[in-house]
Amino acid sequence: MKYLRKIGVFLLIGLMIFGMTACGSKKGNTFTGEAKGKNGTIKVEVTIDNKEIKKIKVVENHESEFTKDTFKKVIDSIIEANSADVDTVSGATLTSSAIIAAVKDAVKKSGIELTPKKSNGQASAKAENTSTDVVIIGAGGAGLTAAIQAKEDGAKVILIEKNAVVGGNTNFATGGLNAAGTKYQKEKGIKDSVDLFYKDTMKGGKNKNNPDLVKLLAEKSAETVEWLTERGADLSDVGRMGGASVNRTHRPTGGAAVGAHLVKVLDKKAKEVGVEIRTETKAIELLAEGNKVNGVKVQDAKGNKYEINAKAVILATGGFGANQDMVVSYRSELKGFGTTNGPGATGDAVKLVEKLNVELVDMKEIQSHPTVVPGKSKLITEAVRGNGAILVNRDGKRFIDELQTRDVVSKAELEQKGKTAYLIFDQNVRESLSAIEKYHKLGLLTEAKTVKELADKIKVNADELEKTVKSYNGFVQAKKDTEFQRSNMKTELNKAPYYAVEVGPAVHHTMGGLKINTDAKVITKDGKVVEGLFAAGEVTGGVHGANRLGGNAVADITTFGRIAGKNAAGLAKK
Ligand code: MEZ
């Protein structure tokens, strides 16, 4: 009897193993498929019943948090069409192509032939002329902030976004938000002031900045941190970026990336307060009578064009860092440079305001970020240097104060052999900044038990690198860098393992853009206000002058986003 039961168990296990092997990636009527996404494998389980896709479950993915909506959109449209021959999602092409490919893989493995459903061919229900108080173009950090502020101030708001997902470039912001005189600085004993923030920003921008805009940014920055915190943001950790005299870069607990966090918080809040968000809706023309803007003509994903008439329009379309042609037209030496920007940063506003005689300022001022992984366009946040990392060249030697402004560090890198450098840090730095975990997961870091082993792995002179780390640790102990006068050295690099990542400059921020005044109103070439038109964020010029300081973009978009939202709502109420 005992024997029989044992044989039965073996038979059952055998059958299960046979079943698993024979079916490969099949579980009942569910089939597994995979494809390579932006950050690694995307694996899906597709349930097919009666030749119809019933369910698609994503069982593995390494994509950024902000692509969550992309997954839903693609899966919904595949199920609706009963076919994986659907369009990719604008603004998330790589991720959506990979989801589509993974579903195709699963369907192929199933051997089932699906019968695609016919589209009902109807135009979107919203593709008709409409009107509102305030229409905002661009749902990145500036647009979302402006929309919430305008709605909270009593305006009816439509926020349009050309991509399928909101967040724009803010999704990629990592380092943090600069603000002076916040409660978080006070709690940590950091002495800062509006004046010091103003001076650092003007100096960083080579005094090319518009002083009134910078003054306002500095004055309102602590209030912006409060405003965001009240709406659910965590900005309690404070670190340092290049060009800052004190720690004033606010970011989530543990040093997590600021941008994805803020987009999540702002998107949720915008929906909660009743902002109407229309994604895959591109502005194609500003509607105006003479010098007065009164709406926008848009085009939806299906190609339908319609008008949104409004009492005020806010441009929050971002910069042009992802538009190589435009970048090169202003700065030919940047031809071939990579970019840290999302694909949506194409400078659309410049065309939109063409007929309004708007003044463009500082268009040639284009910033390269010095720590971007060559060929991969992956930004390694400046906060890694702020938390203690050093930069070395191929001889294993430091060559610059790592916390100099971005223009200075980028230029110094280009003067080194191979025109790149290595960011070197230890386990202390890794543990101090949770943003580093993402780089580790993406396989960007070279890791070693000793400095010598690290040098061998990255093929830099080991004796020199050991000497460099030893002398840098001496500077940390002495609180004085006699070689490059680095003023902020957070930690000795002495806790294994040690890490390295090759970095070089890539286009990061376009400082130039539409001229605005301190009310975020757009200004013409002859110094007049364009009635009904506001702008906020990277679409504008003047706040950052010739060079933006790290942490000042997120401060800019949220502070001027609030100002634009408030003033647009005020105008709409008149
Ligand atoms: O403001 C920025 O651009 C920033 C802080 C970028 C970064 O290095 O994380």
Side-chain angles (χ1 to χ4, degrees):
M1 191 62 190
K2 230 176 172 184
Y3 274 124
L4 277 178
R5 208 179 293 152
K6 247 187 188 164
I7 289 169
V9 171
F10 280 134
L11 266 175
L12 193 65
I13 294 172
L15 273 173
M16 280 167 70
I17 293 171
F18 174 76
M20 277 159 68
T21 323
C23 299
S25 54
K26 176 180 189 288
K27 269 195 260 160
N29 57 350
T30 299
F31 306 86
T32 306
E34 61 182 68
K36 201 168 167 327
K38 191 159 187 227
N39 295 334
T41 303
I42 292 181
K43 204 182 259 181
V44 296
E45 284 179 357
V46 180
T47 304
I48 305 177
D49 201 8
N50 247 340
K51 295 191 172 188
E52 235 183 66
I53 297 178
K54 294 291 180 197
K55 194 171 154 200
I56 298 170
K57 190 171 164 200
V58 179
V59 288
E60 182 182 339
N61 97 82
H62 307 274
E63 305 304 278
S64 307
E65 168 73 15
F66 72 86
T67 58
K68 219 173 61 210
D69 286 353
T70 304
F71 278 87
K72 188 173 166 357
K73 258 182 206 299
V74 176
I75 288 171
D76 285 353
S77 59
I78 292 176
I79 291 176
E80 197 195 342
N82 197 39
S83 163
D85 285 322
V86 295
D87 289 338
T88 54
V89 168
S90 50
T93 317
L94 281 178
T95 300
S96 52
S97 307
I99 305 166
I100 292 168
V103 173
K104 281 188 175 168
D105 183 39
V107 173
K108 191 171 167 208
K109 283 175 183 157
S110 78
I112 296 170
E113 208 170 303
L114 303 171
T115 322
K117 289 181 192 158
K118 285 208 170 67
S119 147
N120 60 17
Q122 270 173 17
S124 153
K126 283 176 185 152
E128 57 193 36
N129 291 350
T130 185
S131 62
T132 188
D133 290 332
V134 178
V135 63
I136 299 166
I137 308 173
L144 283 164
T145 307
I148 294 166
Q149 183 70 72
K151 186 76 181 83
E152 287 181 351
D153 284 3
K156 219 173 121 199
V157 180
I158 296 179
L159 172 59
I160 64 165
E161 166 59 50
K162 67 176 175 181
N163 289 320
V165 287
V166 299
N169 250 0
T170 310
N171 281 316
F172 306 103
T174 309
L177 180 162
N178 288 346
T182 66
K183 67 173 180 192
Y184 300 118
Q185 285 179 308
K186 284 178 196 141
E187 275 166 21
K188 291 170 177 57
I190 300 163
K191 288 200 170 62
D192 197 5
S193 68
V194 165
D195 189 48
L196 191 56
F197 185 10
Y198 171 83
K199 283 185 178 136
D200 283 347
T201 301
M202 292 300 292
K203 185 175 169 207
K206 300 181 182 142
N207 288 304
K208 217 176 169 186
N209 330 44
N210 176 331
D212 295 336
L213 297 179
V214 178
K215 201 155 167 265
L216 195 58
L217 176 78
E219 276 169 6
K220 295 256 179 217
S221 60
E223 199 181 285
T224 295
V225 168
E226 279 300 307
W227 188 95
L228 290 164
T229 306
E230 280 162 13
R231 282 151 189 83
D234 168 12
L235 295 167
S236 56
D237 192 74
V238 188
R240 173 133 14 159
M241 297 286 149
S245 301
V246 297
N247 287 13
R248 67 164 70 96
T249 308
H250 294 68
R251 55 201 183 194
T253 311
V258 74
H261 168 66
L262 283 185
V263 169
K264 199 168 160 191
V265 167
L266 294 172
D267 183 34
K268 183 166 174 267
K269 192 73 195 170
K271 285 171 183 152
E272 229 170 75
V273 298
V275 170
E276 186 185 336
I277 304 177
R278 298 186 179 194
T279 53
E280 296 186 280
T281 302
K282 186 175 163 55
I284 50 177
E285 188 189 336
L286 285 182
L287 304 172
E289 271 169 36
N291 190 39
K292 188 175 183 325
V293 172
N294 51 21
V296 58
K297 187 169 182 182
V298 301
Q299 180 167 359
D300 71 12
K302 292 182 175 141
N304 304 302
K305 293 180 183 156
Y306 63 98
E307 292 179 1
I308 304 174
N309 298 296
K311 293 172 189 149
V313 175
I314 301 175
L315 286 165
T317 47
F320 57 94
N323 185 337
Q324 253 280 306
D325 290 345
M326 204 164 158
V327 165
V328 171
S329 75
Y330 289 109
R331 291 272 300 279
S332 58
E333 77 275 21
L334 295 176
K335 191 169 169 51
F337 264 52
T339 179
T340 62
N341 285 210
T346 45
D348 303 353
V350 172
K351 255 219 158 66
L352 288 172
V353 300
E354 227 164 31
K355 67 178 182 196
L356 292 165
N357 194 34
V358 167
E359 173 144 33
L360 301 178
V361 294
D362 302 337
M363 294 302 278
K364 280 187 161 45
E365 304 299 351
I366 298 173
Q367 177 175 80
S368 293
H369 191 297
T371 55
V372 182
V373 182
K376 295 201 167 127
S377 290
K378 280 272 174 228
L379 171 80
I380 305 294
T381 177
E382 194 166 317
V384 179
R385 280 171 285 147
N387 278 25
I390 57 170
L391 279 170
V392 301
N393 59 21
R394 282 175 168 70
D395 297 327
K397 292 180 178 167
R398 288 175 69 213
F399 52 90
I400 190 79
D401 163 7
E402 292 83 356
L403 288 179
Q404 264 291 353
T405 51
R406 291 172 179 177
D407 53 334
V408 175
V409 180
S410 293
K411 184 166 176 285
E413 280 176 348
L414 293 174
E415 284 159 5
Q416 308 307 307
K417 269 184 236 159
K419 298 188 189 307
T420 59
Y422 288 93
L423 198 55
I424 305 286
F425 56 95
D426 72 344
Q427 185 64 15
N428 279 323
V429 175
R430 178 171 172 187
E431 283 167 14
S432 73
L433 192 76
S434 63
I436 293 174
E437 296 315 306
K438 188 176 81 185
Y439 313 140
H440 183 67
K441 270 197 205 130
L442 291 175
L444 300 174
L445 307 180
T446 301
E447 182 177 334
K449 289 191 196 74
T450 63
V451 172
K452 181 179 179 333
E453 186 187 281
L454 189 70
D456 290 341
K457 281 188 171 175
I458 59 174
K459 296 188 176 54
V460 309
N461 186 310
D463 288 345
E464 285 300 339
L465 186 62
E466 279 186 317
K467 261 196 251 165
T468 298
V469 171
K470 195 164 167 228
S471 81
Y472 177 77
N473 288 344
F475 298 152
V476 180
Q477 279 170 20
K479 295 193 173 64
K480 192 170 173 58
D481 173 4
T482 50
E483 204 176 3
F484 294 106
Q485 288 71 48
R486 173 167 168 164
S487 58
N488 184 262
M489 295 172 289
K490 208 167 165 200
T491 174
E492 283 181 59
L493 302 175
N494 57 12
K495 184 173 174 187
Y498 296 89
Y499 303 93
V501 51
E502 189 184 356
V503 290
V507 170
H508 184 56
H509 192 96
T510 48
M511 273 77 70
L514 280 48
K515 184 170 180 174
I516 54 165
N517 65 13
T518 51
D519 290 327
K521 289 181 176 164
V522 175
I523 306 298
T524 65
K525 285 182 186 136
D526 38 20
K528 289 194 190 117
V529 159
V530 180
E531 296 299 327
L533 188 63
F534 300 82
E538 199 171 340
V539 67
T540 69
V543 178
H544 308 292
N547 178 62
R548 176 175 69 74
L549 293 187
N552 271 0
V554 184
D556 173 13
I557 60 176
T558 47
T559 301
F560 283 95
R562 286 197 305 125
I563 293 170
K566 184 161 271 315
N567 291 331
L571 178 71
K573 273 193 249 163
K574 274 186 189 158

